[in-house]
Amino acid sequence: MHPTELLRQFEEKARAVQTVVRRVSHWREAVRYAVDLTVERGGRTLAPMNLPPEASQSLEDATPIGTVEILRPPLRNHLQDIHTGLTPADWAIAETGTLVLDSTSEDLRIATMLSEVHVAVVPAGRIRADSLELKGEIASLQKNGPRYVAFISGASRTADIERVLTIGVHGPQELHVLILEEDAS
Amino acid sequence: MIRTPGDVKTYRKELREALQNTFLRQTLDNFAAAYRESRAKAFEGMDLESLIAEIASRKDSALPRLDELLAEFKRNAESVGAVIHEAATAQEANEIIARIAREGGVRKVIKSKSMTAEETFLNDHLEREGLQVTETDLGEWIIQLRREGPSHMVMPAIHLSRHQVAELFARVTGEPMDPDDIEKMVKVARRTLRRAYLEADMGVSGANFAIADSGTLGLVTNEGNARLVTTLPRIHVALVGLDKLVPDLETALTILKALPRNATGQAISTYVTWITGAVECAAAPSGRKELHIVFLDNGRRALAKNPVFSQALRCVRCGACANVCPIYRLVGGHNYGHVYIGAIGLILTAFYHGVENARALVLNCLNCQACKAVCPAGIDLPHLIKNATRHVLDREGRRPLKNVLLRTVLKDRKLFHFLLRKAYLAQKPLAGDEPLLRHLPLFFDKAHGFRSLPVVNPRPLRDRWDRVRPDEKAPRMRVALFGGCLVDFVYPEQAESVLPILEKHAVAVDYPMDQTCCGLPALMAAEKETARDVAVQNIRAFEDSGADWILTLCASCGSHLKENYPKLLGDDPAWKERLQAFTGKVIDLSSFLVKVLKIQPEDFRGTGAKTAYHAPCHLCRGLKVVEEPRKLLDIAGFQYVPAPDEDVCCGFGGSYSLEFPEISAELLKRKLDHVEAAGAELLVTDCPGCVLQLRGGMDKRGGRVRVCHIGEAVGEGLKD
């Protein structure tokens, strides 16, 4: 499938499960987005995990002291106060609007599980058509364990009371996916 | 604790109570309609049949190698720090998990949803050991607080209303709860359970997959609770049925393409989590998670080796067999299973929870095939349910009188037909001028009075044959008619009415006199040997007819001849060719008229009557004939008026309607309500059994819609 078509399909499928999808052209923009979103939601903390060096620098610049507190590992110390988790994703799957995250790091897991809002950044070039296209990559991670790999498609949800779809039960209440278009690797 | 009735009488009483639960009925009706739509949408553009075949074949090739896969899994998982345990029984599994908790100094346990833990009643065991166990899946938490079992494999609390949940939450939290604010209630659960996660020392999960070549567990959830259960506490115990072993990630991903789509109509569940070995965990003294994986046998190895039942282990626990079951839809999961519910539950109960819990349950199947048609692993569920019935009978070493009679009578055609003729005499005092019994003979109880019953015909088709058979001098093809008991002895007019059409198209018709009952009633009563005997008689009876086609007006006979005869005789090489020659010729009336004879509108007067259609289970799902009857109505000049749920069972199910009359009556009522609401003046179908049910019900309610076989309607409309 053509990359633009993959991107389009990913956006469509992700939005179908209430994921907010935006295109960004560099990490700086992604960081800005996460900080602004946190402020907008009235959040006071942001837990960045596994960000590339350039993003970490932007984060310093984007968060004036006193607005949003940057939480540092170990996140076990902040289990109850992570508003926004900001992480990269390793791949995305167009067929189902899914993110794939190697979540072996416990801090990364906590940032993506216990935050109210998860903002994930994935390079456009890492979108694949379906999960089977990634079977080699994932299997090789697993053969090199211990490993914790997560497929995430939307925010946490339940329909356990009268089958009424309700978003945000145990995991994040919102999932935002920022597609980084500069990197085609 | 779950209680399942051990006899039909008590079971029927519970079913009657369930039928009074209007909330449940409305909920399950809405769900059935929504499910059908969302599933279709989820699979749109996918080759579902190939996917089902692939899942079936991948599971089938894994099942004979379970021990090999287990050894491989163990090797790989141990190499990355997991501890593997094996439990032969449910009790053993519970004891292992309790011991892990004891040795780890655990006081509080959190759980994500696991049907396997439900199977072993793990919570009860751990609580008896003094542990505090909290379920975290919202539905499971609700039923845990109510001390109930799940009523659905995927939506455990689907039987409860928002009002019931609000009351429960108000009691638990001490705060007032608005039943219409579901979002708020979910937030209450989020808040309350968040504390439980943080305090727990041990997390217990199930697993959807155990991938042998990397020692990986796969978990599929929507709420995200399994992620927290497997991350926060220092100990993680996964209880996994041996049947969850798959060789590789590719197999798991293939199953994952179907599982959420078939379960909830989602392209994928929100979270799919793959755990390989003991990952880092700051809460553990070693800095690594203490990961225990307990593999449960509890009858699975024996099932895997069983040539008939092994396919039950293909089940991926999507719950769809309940979603489409017309009986589940009426009575809900607590009355349609023990721990496992739905069609697969009827089967697994007999093996995992003992024949005493399956005895009554396993009889509650219409054989309507809806479950088989929706199963993502291609499990022949109705077939296995009948075999499970037999398994229960064999285990208990008893035979109901019905079975003994069937065995004796059915294999002796002359005796059987003699008795049918006698039945005419016996019912004579009950029958008026019309061929319907409006009052029931003494041996029925009053629950059977929901429909009038037809009178056995004084002159069966076989006695009339010489008089009515068309005399075709130069036939373009030869057809042998398979009557079936109902057409032969109750409704010979159905067969007679199509003869003029065949005559017009120069078709020679024969009625081989040695034919007998197709044998389906024997198979339904789990008497396989008798069913095989009559199959042999019928194949012999038709061998000398020289017919190009074996035509039947009965969908149930037709699908039994075509689908079940190979199951009954297929393993016998002596019958292989004769069987194929026979089944290859079997055809239903609508397909024959539309596809073989290619009848044309010019042949018919075209009454334009508003006609509703009931799709017999054994035609639309058994023989997979869907379009032809509707085309036939169009060609013959009827105005087809669609009605809801045309392909849902009418409730007849042969002797089912005698065993569970209340369910049968309710299904019939719905069917006729739909037909009347559609404004039909005529209701046609292609099965004399459905005609018996529908006409009897219409008569009883004094309805004005005429009910007849599609062949009668079409035959009557033929131009002279």
Side-chain angles (χ1 to χ4, degrees), chain B residues 246-290:
Chain B
V246 292
D248 48 29
L249 180 67
E250 184 170 344
T251 301
L253 292 174
T254 305
I255 293 170
L256 192 60
K257 281 199 183 268
L259 172 58
R261 288 185 166 95
N262 216 55
T264 53
Q266 291 172 277
I268 191 166
S269 302
T270 307
Y271 301 106
V272 182
T273 303
W274 310 96
I275 301 171
T276 317
V279 287
E280 56 178 66
C281 174
S286 66
R288 296 237 160 259
K289 177 81 74 182
E290 186 181 330

Side-chain angles (χ1 to χ4, degrees), chain B residues 158-172:
Chain B
I158 191 173
H159 59 289
L160 297 173
S161 72
R162 60 184 75 197
H163 301 278
Q164 288 168 297
V165 177
E167 247 169 63
L168 179 72
F169 281 16
R171 209 177 66 221
V172 170

Side-chain angles (χ1 to χ4, degrees), chain B residues 233-393:
Chain B
R234 58 194 155 87
I235 304 175
H236 171 204
V237 179
L239 175 60
V240 186
L242 282 173
D243 53 313
K244 298 293 166 59
L245 281 159
V246 292
D248 48 29
L249 180 67
E250 184 170 344
T251 301
L253 292 174
T254 305
I255 293 170
L256 192 60
K257 281 199 183 268
L259 172 58
R261 288 185 166 95
N262 216 55
T264 53
Q266 291 172 277
I268 191 166
S269 302
T270 307
Y271 301 106
V272 182
T273 303
W274 310 96
I275 301 171
T276 317
V279 287
E280 56 178 66
C281 174
S286 66
R288 296 237 160 259
K289 177 81 74 182
E290 186 181 330
L291 171 63
H292 298 267
I293 303 170
V294 182
F295 280 99
L296 177 67
D297 182 334
N298 201 27
R300 287 168 173 79
R301 278 193 177 89
L303 269 186
K305 289 192 183 87
N306 187 303
V308 176
F309 287 106
S310 65
Q311 55 168 308
L313 295 183
R314 288 183 199 156
C315 175
V316 300
R317 306 282 188 265
C318 68
C321 55
N323 303 354
V324 299
C325 172
I327 302 172
Y328 166 82
R329 186 168 159 181
L330 289 180
V331 301
H334 284 154
N335 293 294
Y336 206 60
H338 180 62
V339 170
Y340 293 103
I341 64 115
I344 192 70
L346 266 54
I347 300 157
L348 295 182
T349 299
F351 293 94
Y352 295 170
H353 294 110
V355 291
E356 65 283 4
N357 284 308
R359 192 187 296 136
L361 204 57
V362 81
L363 301 172
N364 197 5
C365 169
L366 287 152
N367 187 33
C368 80
Q369 319 262 324
C371 50
K372 178 182 174 181
V374 83
C375 178
I379 306 172
D380 191 346
L381 293 149
H383 177 64
L384 294 196
I385 290 171
K386 287 309 155 200
N387 279 282
T389 307
R390 178 59 178 265
H391 170 80
V392 172
L393 291 177

Side-chain angles (χ1 to χ4, degrees), chain B residues 189-203:
Chain B
R190 178 184 175 93
R191 215 174 51 227
T192 313
L193 290 169
R194 197 51 77 88
R195 278 198 299 274
Y197 289 118
L198 300 177
E199 291 168 0
D201 316 291
M202 179 166 123

Side-chain angles (χ1 to χ4, degrees), chain A residues 76 95 106 109 113 116 130 143 146-149 151 153 156-158 160 162 168-171 173, chain B residues 136-137 139 162 187 190 194 213 222-223 227 230-232 257 261 268 270 272 274 276 280-282:
Chain A
R76 282 251 175 203
E95 184 200 14
E106 185 178 65
R109 262 181 282 150
M113 289 178 193
E116 297 296 303
D130 75 349
K143 282 171 187 168
R147 196 65 66 181
Y148 196 113
V149 177
F151 287 10
S153 317
S156 159
R157 66 198 54 218
T158 185
D160 275 349
E162 286 199 11
V169 51
H170 294 302
Q173 322 216 34
Chain B
T136 59
D137 172 87
R162 60 184 75 197
K187 294 296 174 269
R190 178 184 175 93
R194 197 51 77 88
D213 73 353
N222 275 314
E223 298 185 358
R227 282 157 53 83
T230 58
T231 292
L232 292 176
K257 281 199 183 268
R261 288 185 166 95
I268 191 166
T270 307
V272 182
W274 310 96
T276 317
E280 56 178 66
C281 174

Side-chain angles (χ1 to χ4, degrees), chain B residues 91 192 239 489 525 648 673 714:
Chain B
Q91 179 67 19
T192 313
L239 175 60
F489 284 85
V648 173
D673 287 348
V714 172

